Amino acid sequence: MLNTLKTNFGYDSFRPLQKEIIDHVAGRNDALVLMPTGGGKSLCYQLPALLFPGITIVVSPLISLMKDQVDALKANGISAEFLNSTLSPEVIEVIQERAVRGDIKLLYIAPERLANPSFRHFLSSLNVSLIAVDEAHCISEWGHDFRPDYRNFGALRELFKDVPVIALTATATKRVRFDILNQLGLKEDQTFISSFNRPNLQYGVEPKYKTFDQLVTLLNKYKGEPTIIYCFSRKQTEQLASDLRSAGYSAKPYHAGLSKDARQETQEQFITDEVPIIIATIAFGMGIDKPDVRLVVHYDLPKTLESYYQETGRAGRDGLPAECVLFYSLGDKRKQDYFINMMANAEEQENARQKLGQVIEYCNLGVCRRKYILGYFDELVSENSCANCDNCLAPAHDHNITALAQSIIRAVIETGERFGAGHVIKVLRGSKTKRLEDFGHNALSTFGLEKKTSEAELKHAVDQLIKQGIVKKDTGEYPTLSIDSEGRNLLQSGAQIYIQKPKTEMLKLSTPQVADLEYSTELFESLRNLRKQVADQKSVPPFVIFGNKSLIEMAHYLPKNREEFAKISGVGNQKLEQFADIFTELIQTYAIQNNLESKAIPTRAKAEQKRLVSREGSTYAETKRLIDQKLTLQEIANERNIKEGTVISHIEQLVISDSDLDITYLKPVESRLKPILAAFYKSGQTSLSPVRSLLGDTYSFDEIRLARLFLG
Ligand code: ADP
Ligand code: ZN
């Protein structure tokens, strides 16, 4: 399988869950795959398609996506075609004949074709090995993009009762998930859910101040890189596009009011890197698979967190760092309130209001934004900090919370100092619960006083006030809060109260898969130009030739010949044949002019990684078993005949995926641990080297690495 992966797709290892899913599907089982955008869903049916003897039918709702996918497959030397309304009857006939002859491995079709009996007759003459349903949420009315044509799927299933079906979607909500299972007749235990975390996306919210200037600052940071800016109204997209053009940016609007041709053209120019900035209403993006979008800006509030996740999800599909910034003002909220108030259906209105409320809560959040988003999709994260959102990245600083602290103190007093933090927070947030009403707490002056503050932020503030002794918390099963004379004095004197904003803790949710390789940007630009030339010649989008990650690797390792070029990620057999010579020539010319040496491409590291990934289940499980038996690191290393460092790397992986893992017994003694942790805080980052140089030789790398697990 790894062989097929490298030869046909040019990759050296699988992304999380890909191998499990491919194994499962290759064993002729049905599957429902839930993976975030950019997670690598396509490979989950494209690779099995190559392993099966017959053809794979891919049902896909978006005509433009079909073409890109087929172009990308062809660029890898895989025989693929699509059938949709953009093709002439003659072309369709030729493709159908080739399919019947068994010349095509993957055939993409639009769902509406399935309604046609003669098309079904054609399908029934094929040797079908696998059916893939892309964007499977389109089958659900609860999804954000219901397509009635998807209901034709039943007819397809009827034709091929014994053929395995794989359905794929990036939609995470439970309701849609169960609907898909029902509609497609799949079983729940065939569901594969990967984490919806997108570690390479950096989230941030900026209060609107001088919005246009703020936008320009951002755009300058990403000069020339693909960017999508979402706006509330069509008019606004036009206005902003023209303002940006006046300021010297190449930008175009995109919305449903434009003609089909105009939209098509804009989309094409964006995909082929001719116009880098698109200003769109939400209508933009569904038909686009551009993997190298570096910046997504919400110039206005999104309507729901779900749509925010979808829209920001279009950034950084290639796994390289990308940024998502939301501009927020209360005025925007009022604008949306206005539309909500005009809704006729009371239930819809309430629903919209609640969803908007969550968006506002997200904007006002003082804690990790990623954790909040993932929590919204029922994904629980034990770490409090991701180190890649504005709140987690902000240096710890003193934060004046005098007004908030006064509200908390008053609420504790008003409720008679007989309740715990949870209840007090509910009062302040104005929760409408029966318990609150029973106590008459909905009539208190502090009821709803901190409606706009998030629950997480209130909790953090209460914790800090307890720590500072301003609020007292007694012990016992249901600890209640109270205020002593000191706290009451504070309230009267109006003294200022500061708390520490939550500081970046060191453990990350998972390590972003970013290329932290050094390379010359000049060479990178030349490679990019060459890519564009080749792409134009072949009339395909540039990313079909090579992704940015491949270009970065080329610019870093400077491969001299075919043999070295073959080791670059994304280079499979076909691309090696077609592009090795022209790309290595450009690279070598640059290298000679600048006196640069090629670097060895670490196949060993890759082989090691492969081994780990392919045996991931067993090797990690084995280490976990020994940890559960409370063996020391040395004992585990001896028992398994591996290095202690390797054991630690297993533990690092295990703590991310396994919340039950108990490693407290491995905690270094306090006298060793303390200086290491202090060095981590001092260095302000999680990398080992700076800490090691701060500490000197008395601490080994392994010891520092082990200690890192106990940060935060
Ligand atoms: P999705 O459909 O889940 O949004 P795609 O299938 O389009 O994601 O994959 C996103 C990007 O990741 C593509 O550029 C794809 O080529 C790349 N990719 C997929 N699998 C791998 C892998 N195992 N190694 C490296 N890159 C991969
Ligand atoms: Zn965060």
Side-chain angles (χ1 to χ4, degrees), residues 534-551:
V534 175
D536 286 350
Q537 237 170 44
K538 296 188 177 287
S539 325
V540 294
F543 58 79
V544 164
I545 307 297
F546 284 120
N548 283 359
K549 209 170 198 163
S550 305
L551 298 191

Side-chain angles (χ1 to χ4, degrees), residues 382-383 620-621 624-625 627-628 650-663:
S382 53
E383 291 92 5
Y620 290 166
K624 176 172 161 48
R625 195 175 62 78
I627 289 173
D628 288 343
H650 288 185
I651 298 175
E652 285 170 349
Q653 286 301 313
L654 286 166
V655 291
I656 291 170
S657 58
D658 183 346
S659 52
D660 289 339
L661 191 79
D662 181 11
I663 53 164

Side-chain angles (χ1 to χ4, degrees), residues 363-500:
C363 292
N364 288 327
L365 214 58
V367 292
C368 180
R369 299 201 198 272
R370 186 181 311 275
K371 183 166 175 152
Y372 187 87
I373 293 178
L374 291 174
Y376 178 82
F377 291 115
D378 299 322
E379 192 171 325
L380 296 179
V381 175
S382 53
E383 291 92 5
N384 285 323
S385 169
C386 72
N388 201 19
C389 72
D390 53 353
N391 285 333
C392 293
L393 287 167
H397 62 269
D398 287 340
H399 183 51
N400 188 330
I401 55 146
T402 309
L404 183 61
Q406 288 181 347
S407 307
I408 293 170
I409 296 171
R410 278 175 46 205
V412 172
I413 295 173
E414 269 196 344
T415 50
E417 302 176 90
R418 290 167 36 229
F419 295 89
H423 187 88
V424 173
I425 289 172
K426 281 204 180 77
V427 170
L428 286 167
R429 301 243 312 145
S431 302
K432 298 193 179 65
T433 68
K434 175 144 189 322
R435 189 171 141 85
L436 258 138
E437 277 169 29
D438 288 348
F439 285 110
H441 288 170
N442 52 346
L444 297 176
S445 73
T446 50
F447 181 78
L449 197 61
E450 292 292 339
K451 237 188 289 195
K452 292 210 181 67
T453 311
S454 76
E455 193 180 358
E457 209 163 339
L458 272 164
K459 264 195 200 130
H460 181 70
V462 171
D463 284 348
Q464 292 282 321
L465 293 177
I466 293 169
K467 253 191 207 153
Q468 295 187 21
I470 296 168
V471 171
K472 303 276 174 224
K473 179 177 168 184
D474 66 7
T475 51
E477 200 177 347
Y478 303 105
T480 58
L481 303 182
S482 59
I483 311 291
D484 62 10
S485 55
E486 200 184 332
R488 279 164 214 265
N489 286 344
L490 256 174
L491 196 56
Q492 267 159 16
S493 70
Q496 301 295 299
I497 302 170
Y498 293 89
I499 58 168
Q500 277 254 296

Side-chain angles (χ1 to χ4, degrees), residues 274-290:
E274 262 146 41
V275 174
I277 304 170
I278 298 293
I279 300 125
T281 53
I282 45 161
F284 184 77
M286 265 311 280
I288 292 209
D289 238 351
K290 193 169 173 51

Side-chain angles (χ1 to χ4, degrees), residues 395-685:
H397 62 269
D398 287 340
H399 183 51
N400 188 330
I401 55 146
T402 309
L404 183 61
Q406 288 181 347
S407 307
I408 293 170
I409 296 171
R410 278 175 46 205
V412 172
I413 295 173
E414 269 196 344
T415 50
E417 302 176 90
R418 290 167 36 229
F419 295 89
H423 187 88
V424 173
I425 289 172
K426 281 204 180 77
V427 170
L428 286 167
R429 301 243 312 145
S431 302
K432 298 193 179 65
T433 68
K434 175 144 189 322
R435 189 171 141 85
L436 258 138
E437 277 169 29
D438 288 348
F439 285 110
H441 288 170
N442 52 346
L444 297 176
S445 73
T446 50
F447 181 78
L449 197 61
E450 292 292 339
K451 237 188 289 195
K452 292 210 181 67
T453 311
S454 76
E455 193 180 358
E457 209 163 339
L458 272 164
K459 264 195 200 130
H460 181 70
V462 171
D463 284 348
Q464 292 282 321
L465 293 177
I466 293 169
K467 253 191 207 153
Q468 295 187 21
I470 296 168
V471 171
K472 303 276 174 224
K473 179 177 168 184
D474 66 7
T475 51
E477 200 177 347
Y478 303 105
T480 58
L481 303 182
S482 59
I483 311 291
D484 62 10
S485 55
E486 200 184 332
R488 279 164 214 265
N489 286 344
L490 256 174
L491 196 56
Q492 267 159 16
S493 70
Q496 301 295 299
I497 302 170
Y498 293 89
I499 58 168
Q500 277 254 296
K501 257 200 120 168
K503 181 175 165 186
T504 306
E505 286 157 19
M506 299 294 174
L507 273 183
K508 293 186 181 176
L509 285 162
S510 74
T511 332
Q513 270 196 328
V514 298
D516 43 5
L517 301 174
E518 278 174 39
Y519 58 91
S520 136
T521 44
E522 197 188 346
L523 176 56
F524 180 78
E525 281 312 317
S526 310
L527 288 168
R528 199 140 109 161
N529 288 338
L530 179 59
R531 170 175 74 178
K532 171 84 175 129
Q533 275 170 28
V534 175
D536 286 350
Q537 237 170 44
K538 296 188 177 287
S539 325
V540 294
F543 58 79
V544 164
I545 307 297
F546 284 120
N548 283 359
K549 209 170 198 163
S550 305
L551 298 191
I552 290 176
E553 284 198 12
M554 289 178 209
H556 174 78
Y557 292 114
L558 309 171
K560 288 192 289 296
N561 48 39
R562 286 188 160 217
E563 199 187 327
E564 289 175 5
F565 195 75
K567 293 179 189 162
I568 298 289
S569 165
V571 179
N573 281 1
Q574 177 88 1
K575 290 186 179 171
L576 182 65
E577 269 321 301
Q578 293 199 313
F579 307 128
D581 295 344
I582 45 172
F583 279 82
T584 47
E585 192 190 313
L586 185 141
I587 294 165
Q588 278 317 301
T589 310
Y590 181 87
I592 292 165
Q593 277 165 5
N594 293 279
N595 235 338
L596 299 171
E597 293 268 341
S598 303
K599 297 185 190 68
I601 304 177
T603 35
R604 238 175 48 77
K606 277 188 180 167
E608 170 76 8
Q609 195 186 350
K610 257 190 237 169
R611 203 176 54 76
L612 265 185
V613 173
S614 57
R615 294 183 42 219
E616 190 167 31
S618 55
T619 190
Y620 290 166
E622 183 58 21
T623 299
K624 176 172 161 48
R625 195 175 62 78
L626 300 174
I627 289 173
D628 288 343
Q629 292 173 16
K630 306 255 178 292
L631 264 57
T632 66
L633 285 184
Q634 202 184 7
E635 285 165 346
I636 298 176
N638 288 345
E639 170 95 23
R640 302 220 43 208
N641 203 7
I642 52 181
K643 291 209 180 83
E644 278 187 38
T646 311
V647 179
I648 300 174
S649 78
H650 288 185
I651 298 175
E652 285 170 349
Q653 286 301 313
L654 286 166
V655 291
I656 291 170
S657 58
D658 183 346
S659 52
D660 289 339
L661 191 79
D662 181 11
I663 53 164
T664 37
Y665 78 98
L666 291 171
K667 196 170 183 163
V669 292
E670 198 64 13
S671 59
R672 302 286 297 178
L673 182 63
K674 244 176 138 173
I676 302 180
L677 295 189
F680 269 110
Y681 287 122
K682 192 162 172 205
S683 83
Q685 44 181 315

